[in-house]
Amino acid sequence: MKTETTTEVLTPETATDGRVKTAPERKRQQRLNEDKRFKIFSGTANRALAQEICRHIGVPLGETKTQRFADGEIYFQLLENVRGVDVFIVQPTCNPVDQHLVELLIMIDALKRASAGRITVVVPYYGYARQDRKDRPRVAISSKLVADLLTTAGANRALFMDLHAAQIQGFFNIPVDHLFASPVMVSYFRELNLPNLTVVSPDAGGVERARFFATKMGAPLAIVDKRRTDINVTEVMHVIGDVQGQTCLIIDDIIDTAGTLVKTVDALLEKGAKKIYAGASHAVLSGPAVERIRNSRLEELIVTDSIPLSEEAQKLSKIKVRSIAGLLGAAIESIHMETSVSTLFS
């Protein structure tokens, strides 16, 4: 039986970006740290992100014990009192998706049976988000099913980051806060000061996301028309917009097998683009993704830490990670303090 126990991480003087915290930030941090009605717990999917969130807020990560039996069953136990507490669970449902999803459901059930005051699930990456409608006969709407499972298990509120389709929020009958990684991405690409920049959406479904990014960067927008012939199989058709002599920045929410990304890069270069960069919120990077990115003519791929990178991906210099811990931490603070999270969208 394998056992995992959380550990506390707390550095009160510095923020997640390395700067020294201001007096009001330290005062707020002390207030939250002394608040016995506020706790953050983490599953096993991305404990490093949960620890960074706690470091940003200035509170210890809640103590738990997770065990796995020989047949793979999960045993979860809270190691501290949560009666009447405002609880936040950090758990992206990344690979292995089913395992992390069931773990999250078990954690919610444990908190509910321990009489937690309110349970908020913080899911930086929402697995099954791409199955959000019946696009073929006799298929499931899995993202709706996951929403029902989370709600039935006992979640009172949900916090997500860059859902594949914004309408997934409507699948929930509980309050949902939907954040975007764009503030983190925009700040990075502004620092690069890329010349003759054009922001590119790799498909029609991502146009709204790319348009928002283009507006923030003060750059024109181009769209790559693609046709998906099968699951994880994409055929790029043509580029809509002028990219001749431009530095192109591809903006997407998920990089899975990187098939779409690599074909988009090739299509843009064929149309005369000079250099290609890419940014994505969720680095799923399954199957041959890392190898495809390594062999591609892509300059850089910027991703967030919503999903922990594999060892192979960490070794690839083309892939750079920007943390969303500060963004999620600020949202968690706002939800607990019952203040607006709208300032985090800009």
Side-chain angles (χ1 to χ4, degrees):
M1 184 183 295
K2 182 181 177 182
T3 303
E4 295 185 17
T5 306
T6 60
T7 56
E8 296 184 1
V9 174
L10 182 60
T11 53
E13 297 300 325
T14 57
T16 52
D17 55 7
R19 63 181 175 80
V20 177
K21 289 188 175 181
T22 62
E25 286 177 321
R26 289 197 298 270
K27 185 177 180 180
R28 186 186 70 246
Q29 173 184 291
Q30 183 179 359
R31 185 173 66 250
L32 287 170
N33 193 31
E34 293 172 352
D35 188 350
K36 303 304 180 185
R37 299 288 179 178
F38 172 57
K39 293 183 185 293
I40 298 176
F41 294 94
S42 174
T44 61
N46 196 345
R47 186 157 289 152
L49 175 60
Q51 290 173 335
E52 278 296 298
I53 291 171
C54 287
R55 188 164 76 89
H56 171 84
I57 298 174
V59 298
L61 184 62
E63 294 190 15
T64 62
K65 182 170 71 173
T66 303
Q67 295 179 318
R68 295 198 178 277
F69 294 97
D71 64 352
E73 286 185 14
I74 300 170
Y75 171 85
F76 175 80
Q77 181 185 12
L78 295 160
L79 299 181
E80 48 189 273
N81 180 28
V82 295
R83 186 176 296 273
V85 173
D86 189 11
V87 175
F88 294 80
I89 312 172
V90 181
Q91 176 82 335
T93 50
C94 52
N95 185 43
V97 180
D98 300 341
Q99 177 178 303
H100 288 144
L101 175 59
V102 171
E103 182 182 333
L104 176 57
L105 296 173
I106 290 173
M107 292 178 71
I108 295 170
D109 187 70
L111 287 162
K112 181 178 67 175
R113 296 179 188 280
S115 301
R118 181 175 66 175
I119 303 170
T120 301
V121 290
V122 182
V123 186
Y125 171 69
Y126 185 85
Y128 289 106
R130 286 171 285 183
Q131 300 179 46
D132 61 341
R133 65 193 183 280
K134 286 193 68 174
D135 57 349
R136 297 180 184 181
R138 300 173 296 280
V139 297
I141 304 179
S142 305
S143 55
K144 166 60 174 168
L145 174 60
V146 172
D148 289 341
L149 289 171
L150 293 173
T151 306
T152 302
N156 304 117
R157 193 178 189 102
L159 174 61
F160 301 122
M161 173 70 71
D162 268 327
L163 288 169
H164 185 65
Q167 63 266 26
I168 290 175
Q169 298 172 77
F171 292 162
F172 289 84
N173 293 320
I174 57 176
V176 172
D177 290 295
H178 182 206
L179 299 181
F180 302 95
S182 51
V184 175
M185 294 286 190
V186 166
S187 64
Y188 176 82
F189 285 112
R190 279 178 176 168
E191 290 172 4
L192 290 184
N193 195 26
L194 300 174
N196 303 317
L197 181 65
T198 294
V199 176
V200 179
S201 172
D203 54 38
V207 170
E208 184 178 353
R209 183 184 304 107
R211 183 186 294 119
F212 174 84
F213 207 94
T215 301
K216 290 292 184 181
M217 297 294 295
L221 176 68
I223 303 168
V224 175
D225 176 34
K226 73 176 184 180
R227 180 175 301 169
R228 189 174 296 279
T229 56
D230 202 350
I231 296 173
N232 290 332
V233 179
T234 301
E235 178 186 353
V236 172
M237 301 300 289
H238 60 272
V239 178
I240 303 171
D242 184 16
V243 297
Q244 178 73 37
Q246 296 291 101
T247 300
C248 291
L249 172 56
I250 303 167
I251 295 297
D252 209 348
D253 62 326
I254 299 172
I255 303 295
D256 190 355
T257 62
T260 296
L261 175 64
V262 171
K263 289 180 180 179
T264 300
V265 169
D266 292 340
L268 292 170
L269 289 171
E270 286 175 8
K271 292 295 182 179
K274 284 190 173 181
K275 290 185 176 180
I276 314 292
Y277 292 78
S281 304
H282 309 299
V284 177
L285 302 182
S286 56
V290 175
E291 186 65 25
R292 284 174 173 173
I293 294 168
R294 178 184 292 111
N295 297 331
S296 74
R297 290 177 284 177
L298 185 70
E299 298 290 328
E300 278 186 4
L301 170 61
I302 311 304
V303 298
T304 75
D305 54 354
S306 65
I307 298 173
L309 291 183
S310 65
E311 187 175 338
E312 182 186 13
Q314 291 177 28
K315 292 178 180 178
L316 184 58
S317 60
K318 280 187 180 182
I319 301 176
K320 293 181 169 55
V321 180
R322 303 290 288 178
S323 180
I324 55 172
L327 197 60
L328 290 172
I332 288 171
E333 286 184 46
S334 294
I335 292 169
H336 175 64
M337 302 298 291
E338 303 290 352
T339 58
S340 174
V341 300
S342 60
T343 55
L344 302 176
F345 298 150
S346 59

